């Protein structure tokens, strides 16, 4: 079976374009070497192209590749090539298998640059995204397990995702990782040294990963896709040096420089302070992609003009968080006004709205910026952030409040800010149990797993004339969407009420 699977995997490489016809024998021999085999059996050699061939649907979904790799890893474990038959070890080994099909980084870069030069940015990113998927760096079959829906709210349709594509670590892998030698190489998951890295139990293998070098604002950066693709062509743009996140003048320049090179993509940066920043503050990076979020669709509800910047359109966006949108054809002018707003916000306090620029020397104010091109104009959304904590809200005043933690407790980073909820995997099972319990009229407070949802269910049940099998799914999905809307409102520094609007206006008038 392993001999047949080697031939089939090479055929997969040929059909996807990873393996040129000239490299078929070479790739076959590399796979034989990996599996410690000396030759291909006559039976395997006798397989015809039709018997080896994948259908278009199989190639697109990645399911046939998943099944093929699974069989190959079963063999590897039985042959003593894998230490344990657990997901951590399997993820390391299947990446090694796929690395045998991969072109060298220089070849991917050359093809990308040729396409960019001759056919444009879309053709180049289409090629690179396909390579990232076909190589199994983006594990399509896992991402397909994510639960996704759209929830209507007063701010537009919010995207909701229950994230199931990141595998849970098995106990053996956790134990082994604790005993493993600690190393600082690569320094983090975003460092360029990940390209081609074999990985270890506490760091993913990246032998099937390729990075595109890009120059933005005269500095060297890398361009890659997220292996978890939360939305279409979810990309990461990262500094070639391991330097911390910082929102400054150069940030705005880099964002627009990237958008000018890839105008079909938006790009944004997480904030540079804990709580309101992303999960990796130690390495300067942006996230972007070919997708329009609800925040990008949200209209400007109140325009304003800043003296000296009459040529830049400015306004407050109708969004649960506090967002200023700048728009115009001249990015230098947009950046100059963004600088002015950032500098003012860094030092701005408004005790009436409980906005304090710093306490005991610790700064609290920062910005989450997002850049895009819309028609002939460029846009920059500046989301005002503050990370102050109190005894009542130890995780953050402008963070999901405790009553919402049964759904979302994690930090609100760039992706959530724009209107996509990334919810924990536990909710898939909890929501299934919750729906059943509601329909059966059970007391949720007597259920250890569901008691945290009881107050929420009591709140929304009264809104519906009836809840039964025909509408329970939509009701729960819509209500989760409304919880996420409240999460974003909690994260907004200026609340969507008379006091908040007045406070926002005071800040605008201070500019």
């Amino acid at each position: 079976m392993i001999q047949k699977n080697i031939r089939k995997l090479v055929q997969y490489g040929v059909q996807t374009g990873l393996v040129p016809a000239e490299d078929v024998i070479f790739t076959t021999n590399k796979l034989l070497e990996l599996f410690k085999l000396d030759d291909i059996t006559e039976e395997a050699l006798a397989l015809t192209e039709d018997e080896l061939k994948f259908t278009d649907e199989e190639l697109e979904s990645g399911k046939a590749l998943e099944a093929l790799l699974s069989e190959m890893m079963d063999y590897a474990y039985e042959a003593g090539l894998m230490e344990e038959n657990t997901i951590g070890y399997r993820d390391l080994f299947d990446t090694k298998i796929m690395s045998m099909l991969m072109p060298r980084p220089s070849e991917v870069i050359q093809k990308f640059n040729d396409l960019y030069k001759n056919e444009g940015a879309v053709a180049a990113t289409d090629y690179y995204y396909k390579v990232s998927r076909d190589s199994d760096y983006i594990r399509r079959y896992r991402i397909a397990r994510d639960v996704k829906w759209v929830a209507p709210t007063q701010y537009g349709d919010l995207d909701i995702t229950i994230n199931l594509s990141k595998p849970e670590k098995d106990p053996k892998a956790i134990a082994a990782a604790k005993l493993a030698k600690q190393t600082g190489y690569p320094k983090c998951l975003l460092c360029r040294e990940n390209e081609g890295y074999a990985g270890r139990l506490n760091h993913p293998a990246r032998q099937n990963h390729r990075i595109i070098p890009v120059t933005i604002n005269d500095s060297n950066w890398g361009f890659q896709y997220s292996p978890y693709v939360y939305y279409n062509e979810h990309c990461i743009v990262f500094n070639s040096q391991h330097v911390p996140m910082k929102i400054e003048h150069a940030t705005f320049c880099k964002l627009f420089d990237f958008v000018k090179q890839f105008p079909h993509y938006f790009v944004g940066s997480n904030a540079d302070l804990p709580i309101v920043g992303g999960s990796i503050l130690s390495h300067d990076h942006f996230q972007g992609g070919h997708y329009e979020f609800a925040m990008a669709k949200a209209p400007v509800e109140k325009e304003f003009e800043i003296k000296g910047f009459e040529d830049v359109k400015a306004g407050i966006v109708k969004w649960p968080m506090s967002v200023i949108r700048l728009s115009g054809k001249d990015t230098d002018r947009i950046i100059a006004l963004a600088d002015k707003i950032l500098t003012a916000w860094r030092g701005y306090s408004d005790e009436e709205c409980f906005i304090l620029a710093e306490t005991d020397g610790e700064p609290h104010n920062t910005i989450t910026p997002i850049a895009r091109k819309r028609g002939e104009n460029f846009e920059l959304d500046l989301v005002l952030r503050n990370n102050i904590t109190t005894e009542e809200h130890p995780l953050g005043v402008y963070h999901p409040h405790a009553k919402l933690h049964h759904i979302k407790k994690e930090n609100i980073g760039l992706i959530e800010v724009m209107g996509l909820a990334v919810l924990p995997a536990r909710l898939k099972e909890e929501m299934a149990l919750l729906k059943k319990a509601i329909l059966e009229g059970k007391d949720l407070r007597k259920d250890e797993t569901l008691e945290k949802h009881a107050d929420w269910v009591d709140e929304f049940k009264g809104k519906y004339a009836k809840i039964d099998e025909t509408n329970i799914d939509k009701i729960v999905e819509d209500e989760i969407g409304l919880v996420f809307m409240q999460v974003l409102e909690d994260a907004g520094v200026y609340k969507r009420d008379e006091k908040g609007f007045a406070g926002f206006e005071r800040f605008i008038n201070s500019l």
Side-chain angles (χ1 to χ4, degrees):
M1 181 63 79
I2 186 61
Q3 312 258 356
K4 291 179 181 178
N5 284 341
I6 286 173
R7 285 214 63 202
K8 197 155 178 64
L9 185 63
V10 173
Q11 175 63 27
Y12 170 87
V14 170
Q15 282 186 247
T16 56
L18 291 173
V19 178
E22 300 89 338
D23 292 350
V24 166
I25 293 172
F26 175 84
T27 305
T28 302
N29 287 334
K30 292 299 289 180
L31 286 164
L32 288 173
E33 179 186 357
L34 175 63
F35 285 96
K36 300 194 182 306
L37 299 169
D38 294 328
D39 56 19
I40 286 277
T41 62
E42 291 296 324
E43 188 181 1
L45 286 171
L47 292 169
T48 66
E49 188 175 326
D50 284 343
E51 289 174 299
L52 294 169
K53 200 169 184 180
F54 291 81
T55 67
D56 290 344
E57 192 280 327
E58 285 174 332
L59 291 176
E60 179 58 32
S61 70
K63 289 179 182 177
L65 177 63
E66 178 188 25
L68 180 59
L69 290 174
S70 182
E71 287 182 2
M72 296 177 89
M73 286 185 291
D74 289 344
Y75 170 85
Y77 178 65
E78 290 163 9
L81 303 176
M82 247 172 32
E83 192 176 329
E84 297 282 353
N85 195 21
T86 60
I87 193 163
Y89 287 93
R90 289 173 77 92
D91 277 2
L92 292 172
F93 198 84
D94 72 356
T95 305
K96 186 184 289 188
I97 295 172
M98 290 305 297
S99 74
M100 302 296 158
L101 277 61
M102 292 299 294
R104 291 256 177 183
S106 57
E107 295 174 86
V108 176
I109 293 164
Q110 183 67 51
K111 180 78 178 285
F112 181 93
N113 288 340
D114 286 348
L115 284 167
Y116 187 96
K117 181 181 177 182
N118 297 316
E119 298 180 37
V122 174
T125 56
D126 281 353
Y127 156 73
Y128 181 44
Y129 192 55
K130 184 177 185 302
V131 168
S132 299
R133 285 155 54 93
D134 291 340
S135 66
D136 209 36
Y137 164 73
I138 295 172
R139 296 173 184 262
R140 286 168 286 185
Y141 44 87
R142 281 193 187 157
I143 290 154
R145 297 171 195 159
D146 288 347
V147 180
K148 298 181 179 183
W149 69 92
V150 172
T153 73
Q154 61 184 289
Y155 304 105
D157 291 340
L158 301 181
D159 294 307
I160 313 294
T161 299
I162 296 177
N163 177 34
L164 303 170
S165 54
K166 285 187 181 180
E168 298 292 329
K169 289 184 178 176
D170 57 85
K172 282 187 177 179
I174 293 169
K178 283 182 180 177
L179 297 173
K181 179 185 173 184
Q182 295 303 304
T183 174
Y185 184 89
K187 288 181 181 176
C188 77
L189 292 169
L190 294 180
C191 285
R192 62 193 300 182
E193 288 79 11
N194 283 281
E195 186 178 42
Y197 187 61
R200 50 189 191 269
L201 285 173
N202 59 359
H203 193 103
R206 290 288 183 255
Q207 291 132 307
N208 57 351
H209 178 38
R210 299 294 179 262
I211 294 167
I212 302 296
V214 290
T215 302
I216 52 175
N217 197 35
D218 298 322
S219 57
N220 296 325
W221 283 55
F223 167 50
Q224 66 183 45
Y225 290 104
S226 165
Y228 304 112
V229 276
Y230 291 129
Y231 50 86
N232 187 46
E233 295 178 45
H234 177 185
C235 70
I236 299 170
V237 189
F238 60 94
N239 197 313
S240 62
Q241 303 298 314
H242 183 78
V243 294
M245 299 282 293
K246 190 174 183 184
I247 303 298
E248 57 185 351
H249 168 83
T251 306
F252 304 137
C253 297
K254 290 167 186 170
L255 293 176
F256 276 128
D257 201 355
F258 183 82
V259 168
K260 286 175 183 177
Q261 293 179 57
F262 301 95
H264 57 303
Y265 279 7
F266 80 88
V267 68
S269 174
N270 266 304
D272 53 358
L273 294 178
I275 297 174
V276 296
S279 57
I280 302 179
L281 290 174
S282 61
H283 196 133
D284 197 14
H285 70 284
F286 309 141
Q287 293 183 78
H290 197 181
Y291 190 72
E292 188 173 38
F293 285 91
M295 192 179 84
K297 298 174 187 175
V300 168
E301 61 183 351
K302 184 172 183 179
E303 292 188 357
F304 59 86
E305 199 172 81
I306 302 299
K307 189 176 179 182
F309 293 91
E310 291 81 5
D311 55 327
V312 179
K313 285 185 69 175
I316 296 171
V317 179
K318 185 184 178 184
W319 192 245
M321 296 182 71
S322 308
V323 185
I324 295 171
R325 179 168 294 159
L326 308 180
S327 175
K329 288 185 170 61
D330 187 342
T331 55
D332 288 343
R333 295 291 292 156
I334 296 173
I335 289 166
L337 180 50
D339 274 344
K340 182 179 178 71
I341 293 168
L342 174 63
T343 302
W345 180 246
R346 290 278 195 200
Y348 187 79
S349 292
D350 183 341
E351 291 189 11
E352 191 178 337
C353 290
F354 198 67
I355 293 169
L356 302 177
E358 57 90 21
T359 54
D360 301 323
E362 181 188 348
H364 296 306
N365 287 351
T366 185
I367 278 175
T368 299
I370 301 106
R372 67 183 74 88
K373 191 169 190 210
R374 193 183 297 279
E376 294 300 309
N377 286 339
F378 291 94
E379 284 183 356
L380 184 65
D381 285 351
L382 303 173
V383 188
L384 306 181
R385 312 297 302 273
N386 180 289
N387 76 344
I388 195 167
T389 60
T390 63
E391 284 187 19
E392 184 186 359
H393 301 293
L395 297 179
V397 172
Y398 305 106
H399 176 89
H401 289 177
K403 68 171 287 190
L404 308 178
H405 288 180
H406 66 106
I407 297 293
K408 177 74 174 173
K409 184 179 182 179
E410 298 75 20
N411 290 351
I412 303 305
L414 173 68
I415 293 171
E416 285 90 359
V417 163
M418 296 185 292
L420 191 158
V422 181
L423 302 179
R426 63 174 171 82
L427 284 177
K428 183 181 180 183
E429 184 181 359
E430 286 180 15
M431 291 305 107
L433 294 171
L434 184 69
K435 292 170 193 174
K436 187 171 184 289
I438 291 171
L439 293 176
E440 292 175 358
K442 289 184 177 176
D443 185 350
L444 301 181
R445 288 177 174 80
K446 291 181 179 176
D447 186 306
E448 190 177 342
T449 302
L450 300 179
E451 61 178 340
K452 60 178 168 286
H453 300 298
D455 289 346
W456 171 56
V457 173
D458 286 348
E459 283 179 23
F460 75 67
K461 274 172 71 175
K463 290 162 56 176
Y464 302 94
K466 67 165 187 171
I467 299 179
D468 58 24
E469 293 90 344
T470 66
N471 63 2
I472 184 75
D473 290 341
K474 185 164 190 337
I475 285 172
V476 170
E477 287 182 355
D478 285 354
E479 292 297 331
I480 288 175
L482 293 176
V483 168
F484 180 55
M485 181 189 80
Q486 292 172 58
V487 161
L488 295 180
E489 288 177 336
D490 283 352
V493 292
Y494 291 112
K495 302 308 173 190
R496 303 277 307 169
D497 55 25
E498 192 175 331
K499 180 180 173 184
F501 287 129
F504 208 160
E505 198 162 321
R506 279 196 300 276
F507 173 64
I508 298 299
N509 291 337
S510 75
L511 296 171

